[in-house]
Amino acid sequence: MVKLVIPEPVSGGILLTYRCTNECKHCMYACSPRWRSDWINLRDAERILESISKFFRRQYPRDFSRVGVNLGLHFTGGEPFLNFDLLLELVKLAHELEIPSLFVETNCFWCTNDEITEKNLYRLKEAGLNGILISANPFIVEQIPFERIDRAVRISRRIFGENALIYQDLFYNQLKMIGLNGTLSFEEYLSIMRGRDPMGLYAGLSYPSMLLMGRLPYRIGYLYRKYPAKQFFSESCLKELTRNWHVHIDNYCNYITGYCAGISLGDARNLEMMCQDGIKLEENPIIEKLISPGGVGRLFKYASEEYGYREREEGYISKCHLCLDIRRHLVEQTDEFKELKPREFYEHL
Ligand code: SF4
Ligand code: SF4
C-alpha cells in the first residue's frame, strides 16, 4: 500500500469558520457571509490543540512568543471576531497548552471605536494571545472602512508592540498614502494607483504579494496573463501538499497544506496518527495524481477522460487556477473524492 508521508507541522492556523463579513476577490479560502454559520467545536479544537502543542514543543524554545506569519499558531477564518467568545476560549486553551507565538488574524470589521478595540484586544492578551495580524489590502477595504484597520493598527501596536503585524505593509502604506477614509471599490483603487504609481500597483499585485489561487483567478483573473493548460502539465505538487509550515485546519477538522484550500489530507483530530503512519494514496486519488511527477497534467487527463472536463478557452493564470478549475468540475460531477472537502468551498468561489 503506497502512502504519503505527512511531516509534523511547524506552524499553522486554525480556521474557526469559513464565514466572514466580507467576500474578498482574492480570498484563498473562498470565505463569505454566504457560508453557513458553522464553527469549530471546542472538543475537536482541544484534541487538535493538544497535538499541535506536542509538535510545537519539539520545535520552539519554551515561552517563545515572537509573532511571524510563518511562526507558531494563529486563529483565523473566515472572520474569527464574529464569534469573540469562542475565540477567547480557544486562546485560553492554546495558552494553557503552552502553544508558542499565538496570534489572531482579522479584517478589523469590529474595530468601530477605540474602546471596543482596546477592550477586546486586552481581553485576548490577558487570555494569553501574543499578537495580531491585521489584514490590509485593496480587497478588504471594498467592504471594511479603512479607518477601522488604521485604528486596529494604532491600538495593536500599543498593546502588542512588535507582535502587531500588518499583512501587507505595501497595501497599507498605499491606502494611507491616498488618505483613504471609508471604503473603496477595487476598480477605483486600480484607477487611482495606475494614475499615481503604476510600478507600485504591479509590485503589489504580482508575485510574491498575491497568491494566484482560490477565488482570485475567477474574480480578478483579467489582470493577469493567461496560459493554455499544457503550460502547467509538468508540475507536481508534492512540495506544497507535504509542506509543514503554515498549514491550516478548518472548522470541519480538514487538514490543509500548501494553501491548497478544498483539498483535505485527512481529519486533523487524528493528526498524530497521520504524521506517524502517512495517508493511503489509493484512498485519495486526486492527491495521488497531484503529488506525482507531471501531476497537474495527470489530473487534467483523468478529469477530461473520466469526467468530461473541458479546457477553458481563455486559459489559466497559474497551475493552481487549472487545478482548482478541474477540482470544481469534479465536485460538480461526483461526490466520490473524499479529499475534495469541504464541498461548499467550491460553491463559494
Ligand atoms: S480574505 Fe479575509 S476578510 Fe476577505 S473574505 Fe477571506 S477571510 Fe474574509
Ligand atoms: S496546483 Fe493544486 S495542489 Fe498544487 S499547489 Fe496549487 S492548489 Fe495546491
Side-chain angles (χ1 to χ4, degrees):
M1 170 109 26
V2 184
K3 288 186 171 180
L4 176 67
V5 176
I6 311 287
E8 292 183 1
V10 298
S11 65
I14 293 188
L15 276 71
L16 275 61
T17 180
Y18 283 88
R19 197 170 161 82
C20 190
T21 51
N22 284 27
E23 184 167 313
C24 297
K25 292 183 168 80
H26 74 312
C27 188
M28 289 190 294
Y29 289 87
C31 299
S32 128
R34 293 183 293 126
W35 274 82
R36 272 178 299 154
S37 189
D38 286 349
W39 295 85
I40 196 161
N41 170 304
L42 262 183
R43 238 192 351 247
D44 292 341
E46 187 167 5
R47 203 159 136 189
I48 291 165
L49 289 173
E50 279 168 2
S51 303
I52 288 177
S53 166
K54 280 189 208 161
F55 295 140
F56 286 10
R57 218 170 289 153
R58 298 199 261 270
Q59 300 291 335
Y60 295 84
R62 223 184 142 77
D63 297 328
F64 189 82
S65 61
R66 187 162 64 83
V67 162
V69 179
N70 297 322
L71 287 175
L73 181 75
H74 60 282
F75 292 116
T76 183
E79 178 45 55
F81 281 82
L82 281 172
N83 191 340
F84 185 78
D85 291 342
L86 176 63
L87 174 63
L88 195 62
E89 282 307 308
L90 291 170
V91 169
K92 281 183 195 158
L93 206 53
H95 181 62
E96 279 163 21
L97 290 163
E98 299 180 8
I99 295 180
S101 306
L102 267 187
F103 65 100
V104 65
E105 178 173 1
T106 183
N107 68 21
C108 308
F109 83 93
W110 53 278
C111 301
T112 47
N113 65 47
D114 284 18
E115 202 188 330
I116 289 174
T117 310
E118 254 175 46
K119 191 172 124 211
N120 285 348
L121 292 182
Y122 272 125
R123 284 184 74 193
L124 289 167
K125 190 178 182 187
E126 278 160 20
L129 194 77
N130 299 125
I132 187 167
L133 186 143
I134 294 165
S135 302
N137 58 60
F139 309 105
I140 298 261
V141 295
E142 286 204 280
Q143 284 150 290
I144 307 291
F146 182 64
E147 51 277 21
R148 296 190 193 178
I149 295 169
D150 214 16
R151 173 179 294 117
V153 169
R154 173 169 50 81
I155 296 177
S156 296
R157 280 180 173 156
R158 178 150 45 80
I159 296 177
F160 293 110
E162 284 188 348
N163 278 349
L165 306 182
I166 301 173
Y167 193 77
Q168 298 157 314
D169 281 311
L170 169 78
F171 291 129
Y172 176 71
N173 292 335
Q174 281 179 343
L175 299 169
K176 284 287 265 188
M177 180 183 79
I178 64 173
L180 179 61
N181 220 335
T183 55
L184 182 73
S185 76
F186 183 62
E187 292 66 32
E188 282 174 279
Y189 164 82
L190 285 181
S191 117
I192 294 170
M193 296 317 293
R194 274 192 185 119
R196 286 190 178 218
D197 179 17
M199 293 314 289
L201 171 68
Y202 291 111
L205 291 177
S206 65
Y207 186 82
S209 300
M210 303 303 300
L211 297 170
L212 307 185
M213 60 203 311
R215 190 181 275 146
L216 182 150
Y218 297 103
R219 302 288 177 96
I220 57 164
Y222 63 89
L223 290 172
Y224 295 88
R225 186 166 165 201
K226 296 198 174 65
Y227 303 88
K230 67 172 191 274
Q231 176 83 16
F232 307 107
F233 284 176
S234 62
E235 306 260 6
S236 155
C237 300
L238 178 63
K239 212 169 84 193
E240 290 91 340
L241 289 170
T242 54
R243 212 177 70 184
N244 61 353
W245 53 270
H246 213 127
V247 303
H248 283 108
I249 293 161
D250 72 14
N251 51 303
Y252 307 109
C253 303
N254 293 308
Y255 189 63
I256 304 157
T257 50
Y259 306 126
C260 304
I263 302 181
S264 175
L265 295 191
D267 187 327
R269 285 169 293 195
N270 306 322
L271 193 50
E272 287 174 71
M273 214 165 69
M274 280 166 63
C275 294
Q276 208 175 300
D277 299 346
I279 59 164
K280 293 176 187 156
L281 286 176
E282 78 177 11
E283 291 175 6
N284 295 279
I286 303 301
I287 295 174
E288 184 273 326
K289 285 173 186 53
L290 284 167
I291 60 165
S292 62
V296 176
R298 279 189 68 208
L299 180 66
F300 177 87
K301 187 168 182 294
Y302 175 72
S304 306
E305 291 175 1
E306 304 292 327
Y307 290 94
Y309 178 73
R310 291 288 163 262
E311 178 171 358
R312 281 178 174 256
E313 265 177 34
E314 67 274 26
Y316 306 86
I317 67 170
S318 64
K319 72 166 178 174
C320 300
H321 182 193
L322 173 60
C323 164
L324 179 52
D325 205 58
I326 296 172
R327 286 188 278 127
R328 182 161 80 158
H329 176 80
L330 291 176
V331 166
E332 281 165 9
Q333 304 299 310
T334 176
D335 56 7
E336 81 173 85
F337 303 111
K338 70 176 178 60
E339 67 266 55
L340 300 185
K341 282 198 294 204
R343 293 176 68 83
E344 293 92 321
F345 162 79
Y346 296 94
E347 291 159 16
H348 292 300
L349 284 164

